[in-house]
Every structure is written in C-alpha cells, then in structure tokens.
Amino acid sequence: MDATAEVVDTPSARPVIGLVLTGGGARAAYQVGVLRALAEIQPRGRNPFQVIVGTSAGAVAASVLAAQAHAWRQAVAGLERVWSQFRTEQVFFVGGRHMLRSGLHWILALLSGGMVLSPPKSLLDNSPLRGLLGVEVDCAGIRRSIARGHLRACALCATSYTWGQSVAYFDAIPDLADWARAQHCGRRAELSLEHIMASVALPLLFPPIRLEQQYLGDGSMRQLNPLSPAIRLGADRLLIIGVRAPRAGVGADDAPAMPTPGEVLGYMLDTLFSDQVYRDLEHIEHINQLARASAVAARTTRQIDTLMMAPSIDPNEIAARHIDAMPKGLRALLRVIGGRPEISGHQLASYLAFEAPYTRELIELGYRDAMQARTALTAFMSGERLPAVMTSPGISRAT
C-alpha cells in the first residue's frame, strides 16, 4: 500500500499544504513564474507550504524556498533574479573547446573500445552549476527553517543506480520517520549541495553523484509515485507545478518522419519528467473516489486534495523562438544529434536552453497562468473546497 492509501491519524483542523516541484531542466523557469504569482496572491509574506518536495530542477527551487522559509517572498524574488538572468554557461560548459574535447573523448573511447580512453562520465560537464548553487543555496538554512517552525519537512528526490530505486532524502520535524516501499524509500538526511547535484544529474547528460557509498542520478528516473514523498511527510493538500503543457506534442495529422537521436532524447526527458506525475494524480483520484463511496474507506484512508499548474502554451513553441539566443556550441551539439526546424525538433532544446530570453518568457507564462487561476489558487491555499469544473488555462485537479 502506498502513501496515497495509508491509514491516517486524527486529521488536523487545517490542511497541511505541500508543494511539489517536478523536474524539467530549463523549463523549470515556468515554476518560478507560478511562485512569483503566489507570492503576490498570498496575503502574508510567510511560507504557505509546510512540506516542500523537489525533483531534478525542481529540487533547486525547493532547496531555496525551504532554506528561506522565514522570508518566502524574498526567496521567490531570489529565484526570479537568477532565472531571469540565466546563461547556459552557468549550468554546463558550452564553449567550442569543451564541446570539441568532449566529442573527441567519445570518439577515441569508441574507436579504441575503451582501451585508450575510458568513456566519459557524461555528455556534458555541469560543474558550473555546482559553483552557482554553492553561492545561491544555503543548505544549512533548511535545518534552521525546520528547527524554528517555519517548515515541517523538505525532501529532495534522487535515483540510486546502486539500489535501483527512488530515494527521497528529507529533513523534517522529529516525529517523521524513514520509509521503505517497493522501488522507493525515504531517508532522513542533513540536506546538502550533494543531494541537489544528485537530484539534477540527468542520465547521460550529467555525471552521477557519489553519496553514502552509492551513485545517484536524476530523481525522476525511478519515481513511480512522485507525489508519495509529500504525502508521507504529512501533506494532505498538494500544489504540483509541472512543466509540460497538457496537450503538448505533434498532432496526429502531421506527416510521420524517422525521429533523430536528439528528438528521441527530448521525448525521453518529456516522459521522465511528466508521465508519472499524471499517473499518480489519477491514482490519488481513484483512492479519493473509494473513500467517498465507502464509509469504512473514509475512516481508514486519507483523502488528498490536489491542484496542478502546467504551461498553457507548449514550451517547445517558446523554445523555437529563442534558438538563436543559445550558445553556438550548444546549437552545434543539437544539430549533430539531430534537431529539425519543426516544433518536435525543439523538444530537447526546451530542456537545455538556459538562456534569459527563453527563461523570462517561461516565467511570464507561469505568472500569467497562475494569475488567471487566482481564484482557484486562493481557495486551494486557504483550505476551501474547489469547484467541480475549472477553466483557467494550465490548471487541473484530482480531488
């Protein structure tokens, strides 16, 4: 039995609101826009989320928000400052020298069968990101936020290559314990830069991180129940901010063409970051329906209210307008692995284009979507019951 259907204690008078930030590379700028709108909508400047969970790029924002839970609006403003001024060079090396050296390394490793050079740890070197996070994220602040009562729990999700399971590393109030279920577990830890780097270590693109005698990679890889950590940490009302438009993709009437390696990789990232979230939302809705239909189930299961924000415009379309702003080295890499001018060919770019013109447009989209859903968000954050049908762009629910 997963966290979405576990036996519960006596419910508290006010719901415990959790924030779940999914992975999404450069698309996570959309989440910053939603958070900016929430900072304006909330009547007080205090942190509205008792539980914060982040995966991959979402782990970065989760860490900042958790570390500055005492200064919510300041934390959001800091995120917007970084994301609105982003350059790809702050995340991974894209200069011609680095790209050429990486390409030659792969070629020599392949031609020699690993005898001359062993294969590189990853396609890209994201050590600039480590330096940026070391400056921008005060990981020790997460423990202080919990100790001072500004936060109930924070979790950063990674995948263990050694154990072959999803691991939610969390810091929390003392009465929350570790858990272990099929293919996923929760381990109490003093969250650090290493946990963030592990969560963002995209397979093949970024190198794995060694921690606790194991190697860890991006948290989305084996995350079959991405909403489970927040529920296990006590949240019973979840705001999820995703990065994929509900109807994203190429239409069925488009002429089929053999996908390039770059398109396949973009499709893999799209699946990695979004599919399990929507599946988990459906699972929660099913549990809630059972609880409403059965008096016995209502006494033994916890109903979880959910609200999901996702882009009302496909980020692929936005990325297509900003290809020229990307560094030449990255554009060359995308050409080599195959990117066509069609929207589908910009899917990989939409995850890797950490450039200010693109991220700013995503921030504005997130802000606009959230402000258009202001009534629903205000009701959700205050614990009120939501209407059965909501028509605001980018918003969906399962309750």
Side-chain angles (χ1 to χ4, degrees), residues 2-4 6 20 53 179 181 184 223-234 238 280 284:
D2 198 62
T4 51
E6 64 183 76
V20 178
V53 176
W179 69 86
R181 290 293 184 269
H184 71 97
Q223 203 173 38
L224 302 181
N225 300 101
L227 306 183
S228 177
I231 298 170
R232 290 226 164 246
L233 294 172
L238 300 180
D280 218 11
I284 289 176

Side-chain angles (χ1 to χ4, degrees), residues 326-390:
M326 295 169 59
K328 291 181 179 179
L330 182 56
R331 278 184 282 162
L333 173 65
L334 293 175
R335 283 197 302 270
V336 169
I337 62 178
R340 293 191 292 260
E342 297 88 350
I343 293 300
S344 63
H346 299 298
Q347 193 166 46
L348 180 57
S350 73
Y351 288 106
L352 297 181
F354 292 91
E355 292 296 324
Y358 173 56
T359 57
R360 285 174 188 163
E361 188 167 347
L362 284 177
I363 290 171
E364 290 306 313
L365 175 62
Y367 177 80
R368 186 168 64 249
D369 283 352
M371 293 304 288
Q372 289 179 340
R374 180 174 188 152
T375 300
L377 284 170
T378 300
F380 188 81
M381 299 300 292
S382 62
E384 298 174 12
R385 183 175 295 276
L386 298 178
V389 178
M390 293 180 291

Side-chain angles (χ1 to χ4, degrees), residues 26 82 98 113 195 322 377:
V82 172
H98 285 95
H195 293 97
H322 297 288
L377 284 170

Side-chain angles (χ1 to χ4, degrees), residues 113 156 168 195 199 304:
L156 307 179
H195 293 97
S199 188
I304 307 297

